[in-house]
Amino acid sequence: MTTEKDIYYTKDIPVPETPPPGEEPAPWKRTRIIGKRVPRVDGYERVSGTAVYPSDVILPNMIHGAILRCPHPHAMVKKVDISKAEKMPGVRAVITGDSPEADLMWPYSGEVRTKLFDPHCRFEGETVAAVAADTPYQAWDAVRAIKVSYDVKKHLVDETEALTSEVSIHEGGNKVGVQTHHRGDVEKGFAAADAVVAASYRSACEIHTPIELHGCVANWDGGALTLWESTQGVYSVQSGVAEVLGMPLSKVRVIGHYMGGAFGSKLQAGKYTIIAALLARKTARPVKLFLSREETYLAVGNRPPANMTLKAGVKKDGTLTALDFTCTGASGAYPAGGTALVDWLIRDLYACPNVRTECTDVYINAGPARPFRAPGHPQASWALEQMMDALAEKIGMDPVAIRLKNVPDISQGRDRPYTTTGLRECIAKGAEAFGWETARKAAEEHNRNGGPIKRGVGMGSCVWFVGGGGPPSTVVIKLFSDGSVNLNMGASDIGTGTKTVMALVAAEELGVKPEVIQIENADTGTTQYATPSGGSKTVPTEAPTVRNAAIAVKQELLKMAARELDAEVSDLRFDADDILSSKDSSQKVNIKDLSELKKRGVVMGVGYRGPNPENKSVNPFAAQFCEVEVNTHTGEVEILRFLGTNESGRVMDRLTFDCQVLGGITMGIGFGMTEWRALDHGQTGKMLNKNWHDYKLPTALDVPMDMTSVPIEMPDPEANNTGAKGLGEPVTIPTAGAIANAVYHATGIRMTDTPINPITLNRKFAEKEG
Amino acid sequence: MLPNFAYSRPRKLTDAVAHLADAKNGRVHAGGTDLIGCLRDGIFKADTLVSISGLTDLHGIEETGDGGLRIGALATITQVADHPLVKERYAGLAQGASEVASPQLRNQGTIGGNLCQKPRCWYYRGEFHCLRKGGGACFAAEGDNTFHCLFGSDDVCHITHPSDTAPNLAALNATVHITGPEGKRTVAADAFHMPPSVDVQAETVLRPGEIVTAVTLPPPPKGLRSSYRKVRARRSWDFALAGVALALQFDGDTVRNGRVFLSGAAPVPWRSQPVEKAIIGKKLDDATIKKAAKASVEGAMPLAKNGYKIGLFQGAVAEELTKIAAG
């Protein structure tokens, strides 16, 4: 238990100065808690199991929902016979496309809306009907008892065949759209090059598959709906549900205090959210509807496959002269950003005057994509980082050196300066910390001895498209009469440590210890508006807002003290829990003794997120280095070690910072080595590996023991008043490309397609032997 | 989600056999790690589950009178992997057991269940009415057969047998002990699994009502060295892409006798007589190992997407022979 006297830090570290109202606070010069290794404020609850996640919610009289999904990748629903299902024990409601209450339009994208239960099923896993029953087992039994007649249509599941296929998924063909970018003159650039390399690359479709399944508990109270949803953004779910159901925002309350992962697949309401609400309304019971693992593989998003070509020109000194990039990606069955941001690294990461990109997004009969941790970036990184190494080899240059040669001065993709860029430091300091040169030489020396185990060292670097956050955000901080604090914000903590970081910000600014801060978050009924936690923007969006709210509290306390001491606010300052006059140190009052505070019981400060700097781009940067061993007998790859450098402005909590880096590398290992969506191409078009065994996530043994996070700390005074930039996405961008480069260094084999595993390596060995 | 079934947990083996024999679709429940998933996914029907966890005679691992070893069918995979006598005398079996699945599954799964488990073909386990489930075709033949067999499909069914212990038991000349309505019988471990050409819907030779009660191993012959090498797509919780179980009797540096079984190769643990032929009577020098590695894929019938196994088996066999030659 924290006792009262423990609330504040000791008096030897000053509380940050309080700016007058309307003035921006100065950057923190020295921090007492920000940047330290602080464990999660909710670590005990999460680890002990007392944290109530949406999937843990049990309400009185609650029943259970389940969804019948189309088993074919492309089919028309002809008839749905629910007569047997309706009569089964425990079944309280069955809804289909014929149910009047389900006659709603679902916005698959801004332009494309379909009926909630659309008879035209364009992907395996599309919703056909839903059931609510007393137990989940009864609900599933009833789902299986529904008889559906389908008119099974020809399907298309290979995105490379989309533009020539006879199958037309939507009227007007299978092209979702083409995005292009041109700058300079690519042909001139190639003409000026001393070496030109061209190659094709492919990254396979990756599925989010977070630990907590997608779903919610829905409960109606009169005309008001409450949803406990596993989501990255309660306000986003609120507006989505209100729109589809035609309800005022005020009548939709969404709660998501804890949630068990998402990686971009829970940024919005799902069809399942609407279906749960409809079932709950029809049965007048709370309905819990969480998808099965299999459903989440089919229907709630993916990182789309990327089929890329990249041609690059370079001068002998390593200067890039031209980059020419194409990509075909697949939105899936509906427009969903099948090539979103996939050319951003080509446009922005390395200095190059002549760039051309063309990205073609197509429809296939598979589940729609959703943003997936750094959308587009790991795909492009897979191509670009391998290309940089190929160019380096061609001109006899070191991979680190060629990248350092091409560090841009500005954000070329936007033609405006970065506020700060640590790209050069990430590469150079990372190489130093990793022991790049020694490791490269040692590996080459090792490989000369001729054994079957080859060693290789590789690296890659990155920028992330955004990462500066921005308005809007509103945060409320309440300080109680004993000096303890309540922090109220709308943002979700998606497992990244948002609550912990925000507690540190409030603690830093108020001088209190983080453990006396109670956090309420992610509830549209009781917390303030926030955008979803995604895009590596939660810290740079919410942290400055929290700081502003804390400052507002301090300003209010200073006003109270000024009245109490009959002094001027401008003469007063904080010293732990005392407020004293700079002019006369005998003029002093303890916060807990402020009579106004005692009377009111609480001081409330409201913080708003200010604007981002104009005409500048706020971006985080990273580089990663790894060493691998390849068994040339078997194609097994063992990653011996990984090191990640990240420049994300100020380090807020060193522990959550390192967790992000190690987690990002782990996910990148999955992208590069173990994960791929297998569709039954040429036969049924169905997904073959929609479970956690056949869809292989990296296990503890696939990830090296030796992983190091090296922060490149450069507080960014222009980005926001905390100096922090985003981190959650750059940590996973360069991983797979770095591994591919290390495998090449070890074997001389370019693994142009993900994943790198014994299957694909043995195929390459066989090709090599002819 | 699960089908409705009757459940019994008898104390006597004869009762278990009787319950099973009386049922229309009876299934034995031991560790349940495979059974529950199969029931949930509707892979097969079950109207009766007979738990054998109450049959105390089926537990335990102990030395037999002749210096061999008896492993009760309910011994967990962890117990097999960790047992000092298994590790000392039948190293290949201990290695095989330690490579099964994940620690949680090894703690729960049993040796009997490991022998009787269902194949992991993603068509068989998915919503595909394949031959093995009584349907009309093998979807793997023309479909995504990345994880399918090189040998023994007989153009019927292209699964690979998923067990890591079975190839080692077969290599080590183990015997499977069975009790059924007709009484007791034994089957050699290398004859326990069912080729698809004989019965595509069965994985073992077990008849209705029969239960595996134990596995016995003969006393280790003089000069025995055994080992198991498994290659998989990820480093844990995964079945073999290719595996090789060796049980070789050395006389000095020369292989006097030996049995070699491959996993990840065929619908049953696959005896590789070409490899045996290449090494028996020979010293395992580089030339012999090279020849043996080549021999391991003799007669292989790769499918569209599993041709990588040709090189992989050769690599794994070469590596393992090199290792076992070194002692």
Side-chain angles (χ1 to χ4, degrees):
Chain A
M1 280 298 288
T2 307
T3 58
E4 197 181 317
K5 66 178 175 12
D6 290 326
I7 287 178
Y8 284 86
Y9 287 106
T10 47
K11 301 198 177 191
D12 55 347
I13 308 172
V15 176
E17 264 179 54
T18 312
E23 246 177 60
E24 272 293 297
W28 291 311
K29 288 189 195 78
R30 198 176 140 203
T31 59
R32 72 184 76 207
I33 182 85
I34 291 282
K36 299 280 186 322
R37 302 179 71 89
V38 183
R40 304 290 170 106
V41 292
D42 53 5
Y44 178 85
E45 290 76 6
R46 286 179 186 269
V47 172
S48 65
T50 59
V52 178
Y53 288 73
S55 6
D56 298 324
V57 168
I58 298 171
L59 299 179
N61 299 318
M62 187 179 81
I63 62 173
H64 299 265
I67 298 173
L68 172 65
R69 293 178 183 273
C70 177
H72 308 289
H74 199 189
M76 295 294 294
V77 173
K78 288 197 301 191
K79 194 170 167 245
V80 183
D81 177 0
I82 60 171
S83 54
K84 189 177 166 205
E86 272 186 318
K87 293 188 193 98
M88 287 173 72
V91 172
R92 291 177 183 269
V94 181
I95 55 173
T96 72
D98 295 331
S99 311
E101 61 271 29
D103 188 13
L104 296 167
M105 296 305 280
W106 173 254
Y108 263 116
S109 72
E111 301 81 44
V112 180
R113 281 154 200 266
T114 65
K115 282 189 71 182
L116 187 65
F117 297 113
D118 194 275
H120 190 169
C121 297
R122 295 180 170 92
F123 64 95
E124 183 191 8
E126 180 57 291
T127 51
V128 175
V131 173
D134 288 350
T135 72
Y137 311 101
Q138 290 170 330
W140 279 108
D141 287 346
V143 159
R144 286 176 182 172
I146 297 174
K147 283 199 203 90
V148 186
S149 335
Y150 293 100
D151 177 10
V152 177
K153 295 163 74 91
K154 281 189 182 162
H155 62 260
L156 157 68
V157 295
D158 182 343
E159 68 281 357
T160 63
E161 297 168 357
L163 297 182
T164 52
S165 170
E166 54 170 327
V167 178
S168 195
I169 295 170
H170 289 273
E171 274 177 39
N174 297 327
K175 196 185 275 184
V176 182
V178 180
Q179 305 152 311
T180 59
H181 168 82
H182 283 188
R183 69 167 179 258
D185 183 330
V186 174
E187 298 314 326
K188 267 191 191 159
F190 286 126
D194 292 315
V196 174
V197 179
S200 300
Y201 305 90
R202 181 174 199 275
S203 65
C205 177
E206 187 184 19
I207 307 286
H208 300 74
T209 196
I211 295 268
E212 188 180 30
L213 298 162
H214 293 64
C216 65
V217 175
N219 187 42
W220 291 87
D221 184 1
L225 172 65
T226 304
L227 295 159
W228 287 261
E229 169 129 339
S230 179
T231 181
Q232 296 172 252
V234 288
Y235 278 94
S236 164
V237 173
Q238 180 199 40
S239 61
V241 170
E243 186 201 328
V244 174
L245 295 180
M247 293 169 65
L249 292 172
S250 60
K251 294 285 186 182
V252 181
R253 180 178 176 190
V254 182
I255 304 170
H257 298 143
Y258 288 96
M259 64 89 66
F263 310 114
S265 67
K266 296 175 186 167
L267 289 164
Q268 62 206 46
K271 264 194 183 181
Y272 48 80
T273 320
I274 303 298
I275 291 170
L278 295 179
L279 290 170
R281 190 156 61 185
K282 188 163 186 175
T283 58
R285 295 286 194 115
V287 168
K288 178 181 252 185
L289 199 170
F290 276 82
L291 306 195
S292 65
R293 180 60 62 191
E294 289 85 346
E295 291 175 274
T296 68
Y297 273 102
L298 295 171
V300 291
N302 56 71
R303 183 192 298 285
N307 303 275
M308 301 170 280
T309 66
L310 179 56
K311 185 176 166 189
V314 69
K315 284 186 185 286
K316 271 183 208 150
D317 68 353
T319 312
L320 287 175
T321 62
L323 290 169
D324 192 0
F325 175 81
T326 71
C327 176
T328 299
S331 263
Y334 289 94
T339 51
L341 298 179
V342 78
D343 64 350
W344 188 254
L345 290 178
I346 313 295
R347 290 161 63 171
D348 204 54
L349 179 58
Y350 297 120
C352 186
N354 307 302
V355 175
R356 180 166 61 195
T357 70
E358 182 178 303
C359 302
T360 308
D361 185 6
V362 298
Y363 292 117
I364 57 171
N365 291 119
R370 278 194 186 176
F372 192 152
R373 203 173 190 177
H377 286 51
Q379 297 97 305
S381 177
W382 173 254
L384 179 60
E385 294 307 321
Q386 295 207 62
M387 177 54 77
M388 291 303 284
D389 269 32
L391 293 172
E393 189 183 27
K394 195 104 177 184
I395 58 169
M397 200 167 178
D398 178 79
V400 167
I402 195 172
R403 287 170 175 84
L404 287 173
K405 181 81 190 171
N406 291 290
V407 171
D409 295 329
I410 62 158
S411 169
Q412 305 166 94
R414 293 184 172 91
D415 196 22
R416 61 171 67 162
Y418 299 116
T419 48
T420 53
T421 165
L423 178 59
R424 179 174 299 282
E425 290 76 3
C426 283
I427 298 171
K429 289 186 178 163
E432 193 187 324
F434 184 80
W436 170 260
E437 283 183 28
T438 318
R440 286 280 283 195
K441 279 189 196 130
E444 285 156 21
E445 184 62 31
H446 168 90
N447 294 343
R448 273 193 283 274
N449 72 21
I453 307 293
K454 304 293 185 194
R455 201 168 279 181
V457 174
M459 58 90 54
S461 66
C462 76
V463 60
W464 161 236
F465 178 65
V466 283
S473 171
T474 304
V475 165
V476 172
I477 291 181
K478 290 179 272 187
L479 185 131
F480 297 114
S481 56
D482 65 349
S484 65
V485 171
N486 176 290
L487 195 166
N488 179 301
M489 62 170 182
S492 301
D493 185 338
I494 58 174
T496 55
T498 301
K499 283 159 75 181
T500 306
V501 170
M502 299 315 145
L504 300 192
V505 172
E508 188 71 48
E509 195 59 38
L510 293 168
V512 300
K513 292 185 174 176
E515 50 271 34
V516 301
I517 299 174
Q518 169 64 30
I519 299 173
E520 279 170 50
N521 76 313
D523 180 341
T524 63
T526 62
T527 69
Q528 313 314 311
Y529 184 84
T531 50
S533 296
S536 303
K537 68 172 174 45
T538 314
V539 163
T541 298
E542 307 301 336
T545 315
V546 171
R547 190 174 181 207
N548 287 339
I551 289 167
V553 166
K554 292 202 298 185
Q555 288 165 343
E556 194 61 29
L557 288 170
L558 290 178
K559 276 195 260 172
M560 287 180 175
R563 287 190 285 267
E564 185 116 357
L565 298 170
D566 199 14
E568 292 293 320
V569 165
S570 55
D571 291 339
L572 298 178
R573 65 179 173 84
F574 284 86
D575 182 11
D577 52 348
D578 290 330
I579 295 173
L580 47 88
S581 167
S582 317
K583 287 188 174 157
D584 174 2
S585 61
S586 70
Q587 274 202 306
K588 179 170 156 179
V589 62
N590 191 277
I591 288 171
K592 296 187 289 287
D593 296 333
L594 282 168
S595 53
E596 275 187 69
L597 177 57
K598 278 186 183 167
K599 218 180 287 170
R600 240 205 266 170
V602 68
V603 166
M604 199 173 91
V606 182
Y608 299 98
R609 176 60 157 85
N612 280 350
E614 276 179 42
N615 302 318
K616 288 198 175 180
S617 186
V618 183
N619 299 91
F621 299 86
Q624 289 181 7
F625 303 80
C626 70
E627 183 160 11
V628 305
E629 269 184 5
V630 182
N631 182 333
T632 55
H633 273 156
T634 60
E636 291 163 296
V637 179
E638 179 167 9
I639 301 175
L640 301 175
R641 62 190 179 113
F642 239 104
L643 181 141
T645 50
N646 282 84
E647 190 272 288
S648 288
R650 186 189 294 279
V651 176
M652 302 297 274
D653 176 350
R654 180 62 198 273
L655 207 50
T656 62
F657 190 100
D658 288 356
C659 284
Q660 283 282 17
V661 175
L662 307 191
I665 290 171
T666 301
M667 185 169 255
I669 289 171
F671 175 70
M673 300 181 75
T674 65
E675 298 179 46
W676 74 98
R677 176 178 71 183
L679 299 176
D680 192 24
H681 179 239
Q683 288 194 136
T684 63
K686 285 165 69 68
M687 187 172 174
L688 296 171
N689 54 349
K690 53 182 183 181
N691 60 67
W692 265 356
H693 166 253
D694 290 310
Y695 184 89
K696 298 174 200 301
L697 295 169
T699 67
L701 293 184
D702 297 285
V703 175
M705 288 282 282
D706 185 353
M707 284 203 281
T708 313
S709 159
V710 179
I712 305 294
E713 185 159 19
M714 299 169 58
D716 184 338
E718 286 184 85
N720 61 65
N721 66 34
T722 64
K725 302 193 272 194
L727 175 68
E729 282 156 302
V731 294
T732 202
I733 296 169
T735 311
I739 296 167
N741 284 335
V743 168
Y744 178 79
H745 188 229
T747 62
I749 292 174
R750 269 279 158 227
M751 298 302 292
T752 53
D753 295 7
T754 68
I756 301 174
N757 63 17
I759 299 167
T760 55
L761 264 168
N762 274 292
R763 286 181 184 145
K764 290 282 186 181
F765 293 159
E767 276 173 32
K768 205 176 171 187
E769 280 172 20
Chain B
M1 269 182 289
L2 290 171
N4 287 324
F5 50 78
Y7 192 84
S8 65
R9 188 170 176 270
R11 293 282 171 187
K12 285 199 291 197
L13 182 56
T14 47
D15 290 343
V17 168
H19 286 308
L20 213 51
D22 289 347
K24 194 168 147 211
N25 283 302
R27 298 279 167 182
V28 172
H29 179 208
T33 59
D34 191 22
L35 178 71
I36 304 300
C38 283
L39 293 179
R40 183 184 173 279
D41 293 340
I43 304 304
F44 49 67
K45 289 190 175 125
D47 61 351
T48 300
L49 295 194
V50 180
S51 168
I52 55 171
S53 61
L55 307 180
T56 44
D57 290 352
L58 271 56
H59 288 276
I61 300 175
E62 71 263 326
E63 197 171 1
T64 53
D66 61 356
L69 200 68
R70 178 193 170 277
I71 304 174
L74 287 174
T76 65
I77 303 300
T78 300
Q79 286 165 352
V80 175
D82 291 349
H83 198 277
L85 282 181
V86 179
K87 279 160 87 170
E88 183 195 323
R89 297 180 189 172
Y90 311 98
L93 178 60
Q95 284 164 13
S98 72
E99 301 270 347
V100 170
S102 64
Q104 296 92 326
L105 289 163
R106 291 196 291 274
N107 287 339
Q108 177 71 18
T110 65
I111 189 82
N114 195 263
L115 287 176
C116 297
Q117 66 185 303
K118 290 295 191 176
R120 283 284 161 181
C121 167
W122 52 21
Y123 292 101
Y124 175 71
R125 295 271 174 164
E127 299 142 355
F128 303 89
H129 196 50
C130 75
L131 275 178
R132 191 163 287 276
K133 288 191 287 196
C138 170
F139 288 78
E142 301 293 326
D144 190 332
N145 40 44
T146 304
F147 296 99
H148 292 77
C149 71
L150 287 183
F151 301 99
S153 74
D154 301 316
D155 280 337
V156 178
C157 167
H158 299 81
I159 62 162
T160 61
H161 197 273
S163 174
D164 292 311
T165 61
N168 289 289
L169 290 169
L172 290 162
N173 268 318
T175 302
V176 182
H177 297 253
I178 297 164
T179 299
E182 318 286 320
K184 293 183 179 181
R185 66 178 179 123
T186 59
V187 175
D190 66 6
F192 181 70
H193 291 98
M194 181 70 85
S197 56
V198 180
D199 183 350
V200 72
Q201 289 191 60
E203 290 79 37
T204 70
V205 300
L206 288 179
R207 299 176 198 134
E210 286 191 328
I211 296 173
V212 173
T213 57
V215 178
T216 54
L217 287 150
K222 200 167 163 257
L224 177 72
R225 290 181 209 165
S226 65
S227 74
Y228 183 62
R229 174 74 162 96
K230 176 178 178 180
V231 180
R232 55 199 132 181
R234 67 174 168 195
R235 301 173 74 89
S236 173
W237 190 28
D238 209 356
F239 295 90
L241 298 173
V244 52
L246 301 174
L248 309 183
Q249 280 169 259
F250 281 85
D251 181 358
D253 290 340
T254 305
V255 179
R256 268 298 147 239
N257 211 341
R259 288 157 67 86
V260 178
F261 280 76
L262 306 180
S263 60
V268 298
W270 189 250
R271 183 167 185 184
S272 184
Q273 279 165 325
V275 174
E276 293 172 6
K277 218 156 98 189
I279 58 173
I280 289 172
K282 307 256 169 59
K283 287 188 168 58
L284 294 181
D285 53 23
D286 286 354
T288 305
I289 288 173
K290 214 171 160 186
K291 225 171 118 189
K294 267 217 166 87
S296 71
V297 290
E298 209 179 290
M301 308 268 281
L303 302 160
K305 297 189 88 168
N306 71 355
Y308 70 92
K309 289 193 178 188
I310 297 285
L312 174 53
F313 269 108
Q314 294 183 64
V317 168
E319 189 178 292
E320 206 51 19
L321 285 174
T322 307
K323 219 161 98 194
I324 207 165

